[in-house]
Amino acid sequence: MKSIEEQLAIIKRGVVELISEDELAAKLKEGRPLRVKWGADPSAPDIHFGHSVILHKLRQFQDLGHRVIFVIGDFTARIGDPSGQSKTRKQLTPEEVEQNAQTYKEQVFKVLDKNATEVAYNHNWLSKLNMNEIFELLSKYTVSRMLERDDFMNRFEKERPISIHEFLYPLVQGYDSVEVKADVEVGGTDQKFNMLVGRELQRDYKGKSQVTLVMPQVVITMPLLEGTDGVQKMSKSLGNYIGVTEPPSEIYGKIMSISDTLMRRYYELLTEVPLGEVKAMHPKQAKQRLARTLVARFYSDQAAAAAEAEFESVFKEGKLPQEIELISLPKKEMNIVDLLAETKLAASRTDARRLIRQGGVSVNEQIVKDDKLSVNLSGERLIKVGKRKFLRIRHG
RNA sequence: GGAGAGAUAGCAAAGUGGUUAAAUGCACCUGACUGUAAAUCAGGCGGCUUAUGCCUUCGGAGGUUCGAAUCCUCCUCUCUCCA
């Protein structure tokens, strides 16, 4: 096992806050595997690189010999976490939650070590609480303290709605920490408040029931990763995300299209590569290495190499991708506008005309200038829209 | 329970009877330049047709008017203040 100092150095990379370092050091000194909690709200079935910042941190803990307690908030998902939300999140049905939780598990183990992970569903204990216990839990916090919280405050000031039940979320999540006897909890900065509540509840519940914690959990907040636009946080709804299940070529391409500034950020939060090394490299080389590293993590070295070769060929040398989807259409001859709309290469017929007018459409490498062009489909035709949409079409 | 404010396109935000398919910014799309980077420039950004129009949009439903996002009524939702 590595020394305390070495462990701390690894753990501290990229974190925003570590509350507190002394406590963490003390826990590490005990020499036992720590129980590192990560709570996930199964409302978004697709894990993206933003989540993987935290997963990566958890993996580091595992590599240091600690255990991850993956708490699936199947119960809390039905409440809806207010964190960072500008409006009330919709509540999910039990079926949706279950399905999402499964997907979550599959994806999480692309990063986490399955053997060092415990999976827990919080309905197992939350659904058993009786009214007395719920009131006991509620009595441990006050409305004004709840309102101190940034995101509630923001919503309050922006005159956005806050539902009462959302107040329950931090308490319930904090209670999870009591139940799973967490030594450490890792989450996004948006989770700081919830995690701190966990600390306090662990203290409050100490001695009660079977809980015997020496020290309440250490809280580690990780930054919210900026999305591919480099400004807003990565999220599915903003469309600026890279999903861990996306094909290698997509991941590679998306990484290559991020800005240089963002690249350094991704290096820091998603890899172990020393940042000095990155600085010394040519930006494009560095970005390619990042793209390779990340594709390799979710797929394989071969997949990464293939994605890189393809990328170079298509975008540097202007060649065609290795694999282009081939579809068959019933007609032998079609107007280009109909064709684009039919194949969804353009959002609408108007959009198709627009793209043609702007010189963004080509058939067999010939730029289409006339939107009345009739495309003969007796042979295979290659349609290209913009720089990255390719499709082979034939009659059949 | 009482008084008031507000709901406009992906988001933010103008517009208070016609010249508004609806300013502006962001996001997004296409082209140029590149390292498919950033920055910049040009264009676009409801739909259907074409270059002439037509149709559908401003929380929902009705109404007034030659004509409404703009006025009236009701409904839904949100917020503020008072209790």
Side-chain angles (χ1 to χ4, degrees), chain A residues 362-380:
Chain A
S362 72
V363 175
N364 286 357
E365 314 272 17
Q366 288 276 314
I367 291 183
V368 177
K369 296 208 173 78
D370 180 6
D371 63 13
K372 290 198 186 71
L373 178 78
S374 186
V375 182
N376 185 329
L377 295 177
S378 53
E380 194 175 292

Side-chain angles (χ1 to χ4, degrees), chain A residues 338-394:
Chain A
D338 294 331
L339 190 64
L340 293 173
E342 187 80 17
T343 56
K344 297 277 190 288
L345 286 170
S348 67
R349 319 185 85 254
T350 300
D351 187 42
R353 284 207 177 78
R354 210 151 37 215
L355 289 164
I356 292 168
R357 202 180 310 137
Q358 297 181 131
V361 177
S362 72
V363 175
N364 286 357
E365 314 272 17
Q366 288 276 314
I367 291 183
V368 177
K369 296 208 173 78
D370 180 6
D371 63 13
K372 290 198 186 71
L373 178 78
S374 186
V375 182
N376 185 329
L377 295 177
S378 53
E380 194 175 292
R381 299 286 172 227
L382 171 74
I383 314 290
K384 188 176 171 192
V385 176
K387 282 177 182 146
R388 42 196 312 186
K389 286 190 197 164
F390 301 87
L391 193 62
R392 287 184 193 279
I393 301 181
R394 69 170 177 204

Side-chain angles (χ1 to χ4, degrees), chain A residues 26 152 175 186 188 235 324:
Chain A
F152 279 142
Y175 185 76
V186 182
S235 88
I324 303 177

Side-chain angles (χ1 to χ4, degrees), chain A residues 199-247:
Chain A
R199 252 166 94 82
E200 298 191 32
L201 289 182
Q202 281 179 322
R203 227 177 256 133
D204 285 341
Y205 277 89
K206 188 178 170 184
K208 286 196 180 177
S209 65
Q210 68 281 56
V211 183
T212 49
L213 267 179
V214 182
M215 279 180 284
Q217 68 183 16
V218 169
V219 167
I220 293 179
T221 58
M222 297 302 296
L224 295 178
L225 189 68
E226 292 82 358
T228 48
D229 59 339
V231 181
Q232 293 190 273
K233 72 166 183 173
M234 185 176 286
S235 88
K236 201 176 179 189
S237 50
L238 291 173
N240 61 356
Y241 73 108
I242 307 176
V244 300
T245 56
E246 291 189 50

Side-chain angles (χ1 to χ4, degrees), chain A residues 293-311:
Chain A
T293 307
L294 293 173
V295 172
R297 174 177 303 158
F298 296 106
Y299 290 92
S300 63
D301 291 341
Q302 294 92 303
E308 179 157 303
E310 168 109 353
F311 180 85

